[in-house]
Amino acid sequence: MTRLLQYVVAGLTTGSLYALVALGIALLYRSSRVLNFAHGDLATFATFVAFTLLLGALPFGVAVGASLAAAALLGAAFFFFILRPAKESTLLGRIVITLGFALLLSGTMQLVWGSETQRFPFPLSDAPVLQFRGVVVSQMGLGTIVAGVVLMALMYVLVQRTRVGLAMRAVAQNAGAAQALGIPARRIYALTWGLASALGGAAGVLLAPAVYLDPYMMLDPFLKGFAGAVLGGMDSLPGAVLGGFLLGVAETVFAGFVSFKFKTTLAFGIILLVLLVRPEGLLGREYHRRV
Amino acid sequence: MATNLLERYEDDLFLVKGAAGWSALAVLLFALATFPFTLPRLGLSYLLFIAILMAANVTVAVGLNLLVGYTGLISLGHAGFVAIGAYASGLLTARLGLPWPVAWAGAALISALFGFLVGLPALRLTGPYLTVATLGFGIAVYQVLTNWTELSGGRMGLPVPQLSLGLAGLSGTQQLYYVAVGTAVALTWIGYNLARSHIGRAFVAIRDSDIAAEVTGVNLTWYKTLSFALSAGYAGVAGAIVAQALRHLEPQAFTFLESITYFAMIVIGGLGTISGAVIGAALLTLLPHYLSGFKQWLPIIYGAVIILMMAIEPTGLYGRWVRVKRYFKAWPL
């Protein structure tokens, strides 16, 4: 029982990272139906920026804030200068463009920061802070969960309680109608891209101390985040968060009790299962398509 | 300039049109047939090996383009199918001692079966869902091969016995060249014919609008899974070629980067055309060899070229070539 609880706690830590990634993916998918393959690489980019700034002896908060802003800018710039002006942009074409951007970005990072792994300095350590009947919560685990939950709560307030959030929801629902009502749809899209990239960047910064920093660091969390978003429902932001957490817990428990080697295969299996049984995800609305 | 007037619809469907087309085809086939003798004489024997790899890549790209370009179902896990084909052919020859044609057919069938299985969820998934499911499939195959050492030979790798046509006058590489290039040419020809048959048209209808296709009588279940199985079967044969070319299989040869490279081939060559797949595969096999000094630049080049292609010329190099040809046909208008 203690072992199970311990795995669940560890799973919540990983799950909060997956949830952050899933939230960014769902945010973009909901507004433009584009799956952003560069999501993971934008996150890695933010982490590398933070890493460089920290090496320059900047305070941790400033470095992380600046790196998230850099990721947001890059994401928004990608939308504005590459994705939007693309000719004959079918959905397939736009997805392929994000794939190209992912390659470009990861290649550039490899060139700039090298492909060898780096240790990411982080103010929190592995020291245990909470102990409850043998279940240990480390400083870093707690920090990750708290940071993740705070970011998600901020996101919720932004989307549900502000005018900008209202505009985002309007554009996501029907861009043409929103534009006709005077909402600057393109700027809202760019903002959505920026926000999603910053969320991914936060996940990257939180993940970096647990694994070593390298240009392909976010590939696996990106896939898991996507699996989480599918599990919870790509259309629904709370669904994406729930899916991320569920996947994190399921994966850690699976790795602990069944097989560590095949834990990545589990995420793939979950995607297939969800899509076969309930394609709209746990919290997603059933969607209808038209010709 | 004399223009040949098309009088019947069938005229437009001919794969090779006019004397120019036939002579170009003859020259190409002749060159392919004589390469094993001319290249070593020019001191370019290593190009023979590259030609074998090119044959494998052309086969994958043609199959992948049937899936992505024609049917509109994105797969980012084709390295997984190639790996399945490679290991299937390797295991069938090495462990069961089957003759290579049987093993190759087995590789194609086993890979196609996996394609069918991956294609089943494709019936429910569109766009990004499917893309990630295939991406996950590619990674899952890699992980299973890495971890299941009884199957893949673990760190030692899996040695593959050399194939033989029983022709004494030819070296091993020359024999493999003929088998590989012959297979690739045959499969490309089959690809051209598939694309212009009712199957190809059903694929295109699904790509353009699957609901409309279903309403007009295209059986989505059958054609989507068929597209996946065909594409995976092509990749399986390519895997058998790769297994023979490397002679020693390791899971590291079939990573995510390979899947991306296959994808880049068809985007650069031209989505939705068989010729585009061939051009893209040939280009992306040769390019890394001449740019080996800039290895770390390759992802950047691929990425930038994919973005540029999609932004400027979504029909790829082949689409550009067709446009240039049309321009000169009407010249000086």
Side-chain angles (χ1 to χ4, degrees):
Chain A
M1 193 61 203
T2 313
R3 220 173 123 210
L4 179 66
L5 272 179
Q6 184 67 63
Y7 285 138
V8 169
V9 169
L12 285 177
T13 314
T14 349
S16 67
L17 297 177
Y18 294 168
L20 278 177
V21 176
L23 192 58
I25 291 173
L27 203 61
L28 281 182
Y29 181 78
R30 213 174 61 131
S31 71
S32 51
R33 302 277 139 191
V34 170
L35 169 62
N36 177 16
F37 271 97
H39 196 66
D41 298 289
L42 280 163
T44 318
F45 170 74
T47 320
F48 269 115
V49 170
F51 175 71
T52 309
L53 293 178
L54 285 173
L55 285 187
L58 254 71
F60 188 78
V62 178
V64 169
S67 69
L68 296 192
L73 270 180
L74 188 60
F78 168 68
F79 169 76
F80 229 86
F81 296 114
I82 299 180
L83 199 57
R84 194 180 54 84
K87 194 169 141 187
E88 264 184 63
S89 62
T90 55
L91 193 56
L92 180 83
R94 287 200 295 264
I95 293 175
V96 172
I97 290 179
T98 68
L99 197 66
F101 185 54
L103 275 177
L104 183 65
L105 201 55
S106 75
T108 313
M109 287 189 296
Q110 220 167 358
L111 214 61
V112 174
W113 282 288
S115 52
E116 59 269 30
T117 51
Q118 320 251 22
R119 183 178 270 286
F120 187 79
F122 203 70
L124 301 176
S125 69
D126 270 338
V129 279
L130 282 179
Q131 273 190 333
F132 179 73
R133 288 202 203 157
V135 178
V136 183
V137 183
S138 76
Q139 226 177 21
M140 208 161 74
L142 192 68
T144 307
I145 295 178
V146 169
V149 170
V150 166
L151 278 175
M152 286 171 227
L154 281 178
M155 210 51 221
Y156 176 82
V157 171
L158 178 72
V159 173
Q160 295 292 337
R161 292 275 182 273
T162 63
R163 274 171 63 91
V164 176
L166 188 65
M168 281 168 70
R169 278 181 287 151
V171 170
Q173 208 163 58
N174 188 336
Q179 215 158 15
L181 292 172
I183 296 173
R186 274 187 321 207
R187 254 177 281 164
I188 295 291
Y189 274 133
L191 177 73
T192 313
W193 272 86
L195 276 176
S197 311
L199 278 177
V205 170
L206 290 171
L207 176 75
V211 299
Y212 289 97
L213 187 58
D214 71 65
Y216 294 105
M217 175 186 84
M218 285 303 282
L219 179 62
D220 186 59
F222 164 69
L223 286 179
K224 304 294 176 53
F226 183 82
V230 171
L231 177 62
M234 289 280 275
D235 260 344
S236 143
L237 299 182
V241 171
L242 178 74
F245 274 113
L246 275 180
L247 186 73
V249 172
E251 190 185 71
T252 325
V253 172
F254 180 82
F257 286 105
V258 188
S259 158
F260 184 78
K261 279 186 193 167
F262 290 98
K263 86 176 180 171
T264 306
T265 321
L266 176 80
F268 174 57
I270 286 181
I271 294 188
L272 285 189
L273 199 70
V274 170
L275 291 168
L276 285 175
V277 179
R278 196 180 151 82
E280 64 272 16
L282 293 176
L283 297 185
R285 271 175 299 113
E286 203 175 329
Y287 69 109
H288 300 280
R289 291 185 307 124
R290 298 205 182 94
V291 176
Chain B
M1 183 183 163
T3 51
N4 33 357
L5 191 64
L6 302 183
E7 290 172 347
R8 294 170 304 145
Y9 180 49
E10 286 78 14
D11 290 345
D12 195 38
L13 282 180
F14 285 137
L15 282 181
V16 186
K17 287 179 198 128
W22 280 108
S23 35
L25 183 69
V27 168
L28 181 70
L29 287 181
F30 179 75
L32 283 178
T34 50
F35 268 158
F37 302 101
T38 52
L39 284 179
R41 223 163 267 173
L42 295 170
L44 297 167
S45 339
Y46 69 98
L47 274 183
L48 216 52
F49 180 72
I50 294 176
I52 293 169
L53 290 184
M54 199 188 280
N57 284 339
V58 164
T59 311
V60 183
V62 168
L64 187 60
N65 216 355
L66 282 176
L67 183 68
V68 181
Y70 281 91
T71 324
L73 305 168
I74 302 183
S75 165
L76 288 182
H78 251 56
F81 294 120
V82 178
I84 290 173
Y87 275 93
S89 74
L91 288 170
L92 287 176
T93 44
R95 301 264 166 93
L96 299 182
L98 292 172
W100 67 266
V102 182
W104 283 34
L109 279 180
I110 292 170
S111 201
L113 180 70
F114 273 95
F116 170 73
L117 291 179
V118 175
L120 282 183
L123 303 173
R124 306 283 294 260
L125 319 185
T126 47
Y129 289 92
L130 182 67
T131 312
V132 169
T134 55
L135 204 168
F137 170 77
I139 292 177
V141 168
Y142 172 72
Q143 287 196 331
V144 169
L145 286 177
T146 316
N147 290 322
W148 192 358
T149 46
E150 296 90 58
L151 192 76
S152 64
R155 282 174 187 282
M156 308 288 296
L158 182 76
V160 180
Q162 194 167 24
L163 69 75
S164 167
L165 290 173
L167 300 170
L170 295 175
S171 73
T173 314
Q174 283 171 333
Q175 298 194 11
L176 177 59
Y177 173 88
Y178 279 120
V179 174
V181 171
T183 312
V185 167
L187 284 176
T188 308
W189 180 73
I190 291 175
Y192 272 116
N193 277 308
L194 273 174
R196 63 175 187 158
S197 68
H198 69 282
I199 296 175
R201 282 197 289 271
F203 287 169
V204 171
I206 292 173
R207 174 192 70 195
D208 290 343
S209 165
D210 54 353
I211 295 179
E214 193 172 24
V215 169
T216 45
V218 174
N219 184 345
L220 286 192
T221 314
W222 165 241
Y223 282 105
K224 278 190 178 177
T225 47
L226 177 71
S227 177
F228 253 103
L230 268 175
S231 177
Y234 269 73
V237 175
I241 298 176
V242 171
Q244 278 297 331
L246 299 179
R247 301 281 318 281
H248 187 83
L249 288 177
E250 282 174 12
Q252 276 72 24
F254 310 99
T255 55
F256 178 57
L257 200 67
E258 302 301 313
S259 297
I260 294 282
T261 311
Y262 294 137
F263 199 81
M265 284 173 194
I266 59 169
V267 172
I268 290 170
L271 283 173
T273 53
I274 300 293
S275 317
V278 176
I279 295 169
L283 198 64
L284 285 202
T285 322
L286 285 176
L287 205 61
H289 272 276
Y290 291 109
L291 291 177
S292 54
F294 305 90
K295 207 156 187 113
Q296 69 274 44
W297 285 85
L298 275 184
I300 301 179
I301 295 170
Y302 286 179
V305 170
I306 287 179
I307 292 177
L308 271 180
M309 273 296 170
M310 290 318 288
I312 297 164
E313 189 63 80
T315 46
L317 287 178
Y318 183 70
R320 174 54 70 182
W321 159 245
V322 168
R323 240 180 253 199
V324 169
K325 213 164 67 174
R326 275 195 199 133
Y327 174 80
F328 280 107
K329 215 171 187 176
W331 198 80
L333 268 175

